[in-house]
Amino acid sequence: MDTREGKQAHDLIEFVGLRAHATAAGLVQLSIELVRAGVLTEDAVARIKDAIRIDLGLRRPSSLPKEEFERTTRLRLDRLFAGDEMVSAVRPALAESS
């Protein structure tokens, strides 16, 4: 997804109101289920995390260096999709499905 497409998707998602913990929890759980079913590969999960990181970067505070923001965001997403961090009440275990 290029920057323009990412911005358009970001705006549409925000317009619809999908910026909630419940949506994030659902995405993580859906990813877990699709990996377990053999439908989603680790490469696909990496692309999902990249899309999230890019979208979050559109709202990066200017006081945070871009490289640091991206590094921190990558680490947090890796932990989230590995089940090491929680989204709402859902604690995924993506790593267990491998």
Side-chain angles (χ1 to χ4, degrees):
M1 178 179 337
D2 69 24
T3 305
R4 185 171 178 223
E5 288 173 338
K7 175 70 171 125
Q8 290 172 340
H10 171 88
D11 291 345
L12 180 59
I13 289 167
E14 188 168 301
F15 176 73
V16 173
L18 293 177
R19 292 240 176 248
H21 287 303
T23 303
L27 173 64
V28 170
Q29 187 62 43
L30 176 62
S31 297
I32 291 167
E33 298 298 332
L34 292 175
V35 168
R36 285 182 182 158
V39 175
L40 200 60
T41 65
E42 291 300 323
D43 287 342
V45 173
R47 289 189 299 273
I48 291 167
K49 291 188 288 187
D50 281 344
I52 293 168
R53 179 189 50 77
I54 290 167
D55 189 75
L56 291 172
L58 295 172
R59 299 268 181 166
R60 174 184 57 87
S62 59
S63 61
L64 292 175
K66 181 179 180 180
E67 295 77 20
E68 178 65 19
F69 180 84
E70 287 186 359
R71 185 187 69 77
T72 303
T73 302
R74 279 184 202 280
L75 289 172
R76 288 180 176 170
L77 286 170
D78 288 346
R79 290 180 50 82
L80 179 67
F81 278 79
D84 296 336
E85 290 189 16
M86 293 175 61
V87 178
S88 291
V90 175
R91 185 176 174 102
L94 190 60
E96 294 174 13
S97 65
S98 301

